[in-house]
Amino acid sequence: TMGMSFYEQVCELLSEYYGNQCTRQKKVQGITTVSVSKYLKTLEVKGSLPNRDKELKQIRSLCQKDIKQTKGDNIEYDDDTVDVYITNPKGEEILIDITTVKPNKKEFITLVKKLRAWSAQRLSQDPEAKINAYIGIPYNPFSKGNIEGVKYDKWSNCYDRKDILVGTELWNKVSDNNVRVTDLSEIFASIGETMKKTIE
C-alpha cells in the first residue's frame, strides 16, 4: 500500500547511513551514440540470451571509440530517470531501477534494455566510469516468511542473473553488506508495534 517509492526512500536512508552519496529520481547524463544504438538493436534478436559482462564490455569499447565526438553531450531520453543513484567512496556508481517483485516477460526485457542504455549514456561521457546498473526487487516473493536463499528465476531467459538484485542482494548492495532483508522485516515489525495505537 506504500508503493514502490517507499523502497527508494529506504535505499536512500541505508545508503547514506553507510557513507555513500545517494539521489532518488536522478537523470543519467550522456548520450546513446549511433554505434551503441546499432549494437543495442542486435541484442533484441529473438532467442538471444542477455550476457551482462559481454554486453557492457562491448558498450564500453564503443564509447571509448566515440568519446571525441560525444564528450559533454547530453540528451534527455524518456527512460533516463534512475530510481536510486548511488556513488560510493570507491567511486563506483550504482544505478538501481526498483521494480515490482513479479515483473512479466515484457517488463523484464524492457528493464534490461534500460540498464544497458543507462550504462551507455554514462560511459559516453566517461568510458572509464565504474558504473553498475541493476534491477532492484525488494524481496523474493517465492520465499516463505523470512527464509532466505530461495532461488529467483522468474522469466530467467530474459535477463542475466547478474542484472537483478533480489531481497538481501539489494539491501546488501545499498548498505555495503550491512543489512539483510530479514533485518528490515524485524525493523518494520518493531515500528509497526510502536505505531499501532497511533495508527488505530
Side-chain angles (χ1 to χ4, degrees), residues 79-190:
D79 290 326
D80 65 0
T81 301
V82 181
D83 291 336
V84 179
Y85 199 126
I86 297 169
T87 304
N88 65 29
K90 297 177 183 177
E92 180 187 8
E93 297 174 41
I94 302 167
L95 286 61
I96 304 174
D97 190 295
I98 306 291
T99 190
T100 56
V101 296
K102 291 183 180 181
N104 60 37
K105 183 177 181 179
K106 185 177 181 180
E107 287 171 331
F108 264 126
I109 292 172
T110 300
L111 287 166
V112 171
K113 185 178 178 181
K114 185 192 294 187
L115 299 187
R116 300 295 183 266
W118 285 352
S119 298
Q121 285 172 248
R122 181 68 185 92
L123 292 172
S124 73
Q125 291 201 329
D126 180 7
E128 303 303 321
K130 300 175 183 177
I131 184 167
N132 280 299
Y134 300 99
I135 300 166
I137 297 175
Y139 61 90
N140 189 343
F142 304 112
S143 64
K144 295 181 180 180
N146 286 336
I147 298 174
E148 296 187 64
V150 177
K151 192 174 183 180
Y152 186 99
D153 56 4
K154 183 177 175 64
W155 301 113
S156 58
N157 61 328
C158 298
Y159 55 85
D160 186 323
R161 186 59 179 80
K162 295 177 183 177
D163 282 324
I164 65 173
L165 301 171
V166 182
T168 288
E169 295 169 349
L170 171 62
W171 304 115
N172 268 342
K173 179 63 70 173
V174 302
S175 69
D176 292 337
N177 296 313
N178 285 291
V179 177
R180 302 166 301 165
V181 70
T182 48
D183 297 324
L184 288 181
S185 294
E186 291 171 7
I187 292 169
F188 294 163
S190 175

Side-chain angles (χ1 to χ4, degrees), residues 39-40 55-63 116 120 123:
Y39 175 67
L40 293 178
E55 292 164 15
L56 290 179
K57 182 178 180 180
Q58 181 62 22
I59 290 171
R60 190 182 295 273
S61 176
L62 291 171
C63 287
R116 300 295 183 266
L123 292 172

